[in-house]
Amino acid sequence: MRQPKLRKPRPARMGDNGGPPLEEKPREPEWGKGEIARYFEWRSAHRRAWRKPTGIMLRRMERAEELGLTYEEYALEIMERGYYPQPEHVAAIVARRPERRRAGGVVGQSLKKMKLKR
């Protein structure tokens, strides 16, 4: 059995107690370099856009299943394009799946577990 190599203790300098460095690495806040108010406004708007009454959500889920889409894809089409997807729109929506999957976001997260059809 091999013995693990022991680290050599570093030479102590004057005033060094062997603790961690005092200078912290600069970190970027969650909201990035922009204004903090803008970040929280967008986050609040995003949550409101996806939170709908139960009746509306169930109706959209049923319609999405009929079309072979996820709820997130169906709802995103309504929010982005301003129309309710019809059977003739499904091919174009499915064609955008790989792009949305790479981009992440709400739809990308719902598509990660799905096996995409080519």
Side-chain angles (χ1 to χ4, degrees):
M1 186 173 214
R2 294 188 340 181
Q3 293 288 333
K5 291 185 178 182
L6 297 175
R7 296 174 76 187
K8 292 182 183 180
R10 66 181 186 168
R13 291 177 281 173
M14 183 72 129
D16 186 6
N17 65 0
L22 296 176
E23 299 86 28
E24 291 186 18
K25 296 178 183 173
R27 63 180 189 88
E28 190 170 309
E30 184 179 345
W31 52 87
K33 295 180 181 179
E35 297 178 26
I36 188 170
R38 181 71 45 98
Y39 167 77
F40 286 106
E41 289 167 1
W42 273 103
R43 192 170 83 172
S44 173
H46 180 267
R47 288 180 179 168
R48 277 185 308 212
W50 285 99
R51 193 179 314 141
K52 294 293 177 198
T54 308
I56 293 173
M57 185 183 71
L58 290 175
R59 209 170 29 243
R60 286 181 180 177
M61 283 177 63
E62 289 173 7
R63 185 75 175 125
E65 286 177 9
E66 288 174 13
L67 295 173
L69 302 172
T70 65
Y71 169 76
E72 289 83 4
E73 286 176 313
Y74 187 82
L76 188 64
E77 285 299 312
I78 295 171
M79 288 188 275
E80 278 186 347
R81 314 261 186 276
Y83 65 81
Y84 292 89
Q86 302 299 316
E88 58 268 12
H89 302 130
V90 173
I93 295 169
V94 170
R96 284 192 295 269
R97 276 184 179 172
E99 176 187 330
R100 286 182 171 162
R101 189 176 191 182
R102 281 189 303 273
V106 176
V107 176
Q109 291 170 5
S110 73
L111 292 173
K112 281 196 182 193
K113 295 179 184 172
M114 289 179 63
K115 291 187 177 182
L116 297 178
K117 297 175 186 172
R118 293 189 183 240

